Structures are given as structure tokens and as C-alpha cells.
């Protein structure tokens, strides 16, 4: 069952929702909370990356844009480039919930693919989501804009809290590591 926006706000599950004047804050509607682009990271194509049974290594990323409240900065997503967007907002997913991440339709309609996923119970911090421009043409996006939504589903029974290494919004692995 999806929990209500009222419950999300009452429980303080999403923080850093401090929008300034003219920065797109609207009263939440439906069953999800909007989140904004805080940082954009671009995947670097050099270097070794792998996923083995025990160890892993991701590609390196370079931060290419960062939202500064009060500024109207924009960024061009180049065609066929792989990015990661990190949210301004942070989450603290309680042990009785799981968060699902949903792209706003305007991006999907323009060929911007949001590779959405979930945040498990116990995850804390901003979160980072892969994005790729499949449109074939450059696409302009304003930093701080609402680009996705989070909905929370109640877990029936006892959950096992997240203990992975991505807690806190990490974008990539600095070096080869053992998977938790």
C-alpha cells in the first residue's frame, strides 16, 4: 500500500524541501513527493569497471553541474551520454517502508530516460539516479527543477534495514571494493 503525502511529511521522511521564491515549490498532490536536481555527474568512459561475485568497481564520474539556490543555472544533457542526478532532498527511509523512484513524464516524453529504482528501509541521505539522453539531440535542464517523484510503500512484516555502501548518496566507487 502506498502511504499518503500527509504521512510522508508528518514523519519527516524527506528533508531539505526548503524551496526559495520562484524555485518551483508546489503543494504536493497525488501520492508522491517531487524531488529536485541537486547535482549532475557525467560518467567517464576510461578506466576499468566490473561486477564479480564478491568484488566490484564502477566507472568514475565527474561532477559537471551543481544547483545553487537563487540561481537559474542550466545544463545541456548531450545525446547518448550517461549521467547521474543527485537530489537536493534527502530521505530517511523508515524500517516499515520502501521508497520507489518515478520519473516525471515530461522528461520521458522528451527521450530522457530515468533509470529508476528503490531505496530500502534504513537508507539515509540524498540519492543518485542514472539518467541517459536517448533523444538524439541536446536537452536543456534547469538545476533545481523538479524531475522525479518518490512514493513510499508500506512493508507487510519485519524488514531488514539497508546496510550497503551506497547509503548517503555515493555516486561511484573510488576503488575496487568487496560488496556488502
Amino acid at each position: 500500500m502506498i502511504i499518503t503525502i500527509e504521512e510522508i511529511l508528518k514523519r519527516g521522511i524527506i528533508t531539505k524541501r526548503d524551496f526559495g521564491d520562484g524555485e518551483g515549490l508546489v503543494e504536493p498532490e497525488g501520492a508522491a513527493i517531487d524531488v529536485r536536481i541537486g547535482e549532475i555527474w557525467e560518467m567517464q568512459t576510461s578506466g576499468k569497471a566490473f561486477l564479480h561475485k564478491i568484488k566490484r568497481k564502477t566507472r568514475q564520474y565527474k561532477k559537471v553541474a551543481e544547483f545553487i539556490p537563487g540561481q537559474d543555472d542550466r545544463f545541456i544533457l548531450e545525446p547518448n551520454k550517461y549521467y547521474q542526478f543527485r537530489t537536493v532532498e534527502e530521505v530517511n527511509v523508515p524500517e516499515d517502508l520502501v521508497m520507489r523512484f518515478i520519473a516525471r513524464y515530461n522528461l520521458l516524453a522528451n527521450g530522457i530516460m530515468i533509470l529508476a529504482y528503490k531505496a530500502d528501509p534504513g537508507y539515509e541521505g540524498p540519492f543518485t539516479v542514472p539518467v541517459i539522453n536517448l533523444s538524439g539531440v541536446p536537452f536543456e535542464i534547469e538545476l533545481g527543477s523538479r524531475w522525479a517523484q518518490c512514493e513510499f510503500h508500506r512493508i507487510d512484516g519485519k524488514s531488514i534495514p539497508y546496510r550497503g555502501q551506497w547509503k548517503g548518496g555515493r555516486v561511484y566507487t573510488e576503488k575496487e571494493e568487496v560488496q556488502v
Side-chain angles (χ1 to χ4, degrees):
M1 171 174 66
I2 298 172
I3 69 167
T4 66
I5 290 171
E6 179 181 27
E7 184 176 344
I8 295 168
L9 296 174
K10 183 178 174 182
R11 291 176 69 177
I13 296 168
I14 293 187
T15 61
K16 297 197 175 181
R17 293 194 74 240
D18 51 338
F19 290 67
D21 289 338
E23 290 188 353
L25 177 63
V26 295
E27 289 302 315
E29 62 185 11
I33 298 281
D34 289 337
V35 291
R36 299 168 291 157
I37 301 169
E39 297 174 355
I40 300 175
W41 294 70
E42 182 180 315
M43 182 170 48
Q44 306 299 292
T45 55
S46 62
K48 184 178 178 182
F50 60 88
L51 176 63
H52 296 168
K53 292 179 205 171
I54 296 173
K55 292 188 177 184
R56 68 175 166 213
K57 170 84 174 76
T58 66
R59 297 264 180 242
Q60 298 287 310
Y61 283 79
K62 175 183 172 187
K63 187 182 343 178
V64 292
E66 183 172 1
F67 171 61
I68 299 170
Q71 292 187 14
D72 296 328
D73 298 324
R74 292 172 173 83
F75 183 79
I76 302 296
L77 298 176
E78 296 297 334
N80 302 314
K81 284 221 174 174
Y82 194 89
Y83 300 94
Q84 295 214 51
F85 287 9
R86 179 187 262 168
T87 59
V88 171
E89 292 75 18
E90 294 186 6
V91 298
N92 182 12
V93 183
E95 289 188 24
D96 64 328
L97 301 176
V98 65
M99 183 188 83
R100 295 281 179 197
F101 192 82
I102 304 148
R104 289 185 59 135
Y105 184 72
N106 185 59
L107 290 173
L108 299 175
N110 283 290
I112 309 303
M113 181 60 65
I114 309 297
L115 304 171
Y117 61 101
K118 67 177 173 55
D120 286 314
Y123 179 86
E124 297 173 355
F127 45 99
T128 307
V129 176
V131 175
I132 187 167
N133 179 354
L134 298 174
S135 71
V137 296
F139 183 81
E140 180 180 289
I141 194 158
E142 188 171 4
L143 301 171
S145 63
R146 295 174 293 128
W147 64 287
Q149 296 183 321
C150 298
E151 65 181 23
F152 293 85
H153 299 256
R154 196 167 315 282
I155 296 170
D156 184 19
K158 183 169 174 40
S159 68
I160 299 171
Y162 180 76
R163 62 183 188 276
Q165 295 131 308
W166 298 97
K167 188 181 271 189
R170 181 172 75 163
V171 177
Y172 62 94
T173 62
E174 295 277 337
K175 58 187 178 192
E176 181 179 313
E177 67 184 20
V178 173
Q179 301 185 70
V180 171

